[in-house]
Amino acid sequence: MDKLTLSPDANPHLAEIKVSGELAYSGSFLKVEKDIVRLPDANQVTREYIKHPGAVVILPLLDDGTVLMERQFRYPLNQVFIEFPAGKIDPDEDALVCAKRELLEETGYTATEWRYLCTIHNAIAYSDEHLDIFLAKGLVAGKAQLDEEEFLETFTATIPELLDWVRTGKITDVKTVIGSFWLQKVLSENW
């Protein structure tokens, strides 16, 4: 069997099958599901997981080679994080449309060139969340249009700075860690 064949049908010896399920919590943004599943050995266990609509991450590369970044307070960890612009995909919204909207809302910038890089799943043990990562170039400055409850500030950094901040633990946000490595590879034309 090919190591990269990942579908449950091709790997029945690993698949967990839903027997029953219920909505354990429903909030304005997240939902928590509680399912009973049958394991490959026929035992049944409970799986609790967060349903998430998905999000986008934008790697905004300025013409001078610096990257537009954000500092934002994140309540669950009670600290300010360095991050790439990102945001939740609205129902029935195309990911690229969302990326363009989020870049404008959070930073005021628009971009003339967009490139889809990859999709990541950042919390596979307890969430179905996915993040579509886009490279944005040809940036044009404008006025940010932050949501009413959104507070952040933007700044620029070099890619060597980003990589050093990842190495030293100043950047720990997974989307920003992965995005920094993608930028390094894309710009060195390794990917």
Side-chain angles (χ1 to χ4, degrees), residues 62-63 68 103-104 107-112 138-144 154:
L62 293 157
D63 291 341
L68 186 63
L103 181 64
L104 177 63
T107 71
Y109 280 80
T110 56
T112 59
L139 299 179
V140 178
K143 183 170 173 33
T154 60

Side-chain angles (χ1 to χ4, degrees), residues 95-131:
L96 179 57
V97 170
C98 178
K100 291 177 179 182
R101 175 179 54 78
E102 287 292 340
L103 181 64
L104 177 63
E105 286 178 5
E106 293 187 0
T107 71
Y109 280 80
T110 56
T112 59
E113 184 181 335
W114 289 87
R115 178 178 165 195
Y116 167 80
L117 298 178
C118 72
T119 297
I120 61 172
H121 296 93
N122 56 314
I124 60 174
Y126 61 86
S127 179
D128 68 348
E129 180 178 6
H130 74 278
L131 299 152

Side-chain angles (χ1 to χ4, degrees), residues 153-186:
E153 54 187 36
T154 60
F155 67 100
T156 59
T158 66
I159 293 170
E161 284 175 320
L162 292 179
L163 294 171
D164 184 61
W165 295 339
V166 169
R167 184 183 61 78
T168 61
K170 190 171 184 179
I171 291 177
T172 60
D173 170 57
V174 70
K175 70 182 178 297
T176 305
V177 171
I178 292 169
S180 297
F181 291 141
W182 263 95
L183 272 175
Q184 177 190 35
K185 292 292 189 184
V186 166

Side-chain angles (χ1 to χ4, degrees), residues 18-181:
K18 181 177 177 178
V19 174
S20 65
E22 65 180 307
L23 182 63
Y25 170 80
S26 181
S28 60
F29 175 50
L30 298 175
K31 296 180 181 349
V32 178
E33 299 281 341
K34 183 175 181 179
D35 292 351
I36 304 297
V37 301
R38 186 175 46 258
L39 300 175
D41 66 3
N43 285 318
Q44 291 187 4
V45 296
T46 301
R47 295 286 188 238
E48 297 172 350
Y49 57 99
I50 298 168
K51 297 288 289 178
H52 188 284
V56 296
V57 181
I58 303 101
L59 314 182
L61 185 64
L62 293 157
D63 291 341
D64 66 2
T66 61
V67 184
L68 186 63
M69 302 298 296
E70 298 177 353
R71 274 187 291 270
Q72 188 169 188
F73 181 84
R74 294 301 191 172
Y75 183 79
L77 293 168
N78 194 36
Q79 73 181 64
V80 173
F81 283 84
I82 295 171
E83 304 175 50
F84 286 115
K88 177 181 71 67
I89 300 170
D90 288 337
D92 300 318
E93 185 178 33
D94 177 77
L96 179 57
V97 170
C98 178
K100 291 177 179 182
R101 175 179 54 78
E102 287 292 340
L103 181 64
L104 177 63
E105 286 178 5
E106 293 187 0
T107 71
Y109 280 80
T110 56
T112 59
E113 184 181 335
W114 289 87
R115 178 178 165 195
Y116 167 80
L117 298 178
C118 72
T119 297
I120 61 172
H121 296 93
N122 56 314
I124 60 174
Y126 61 86
S127 179
D128 68 348
E129 180 178 6
H130 74 278
L131 299 152
D132 294 330
I133 301 178
F134 293 90
L135 175 63
K137 295 168 69 174
L139 299 179
V140 178
K143 183 170 173 33
Q145 303 167 19
L146 294 173
D147 292 335
E148 190 174 296
E149 71 280 356
E150 195 169 34
F151 299 89
L152 59 87
E153 54 187 36
T154 60
F155 67 100
T156 59
T158 66
I159 293 170
E161 284 175 320
L162 292 179
L163 294 171
D164 184 61
W165 295 339
V166 169
R167 184 183 61 78
T168 61
K170 190 171 184 179
I171 291 177
T172 60
D173 170 57
V174 70
K175 70 182 178 297
T176 305
V177 171
I178 292 169
S180 297
F181 291 141

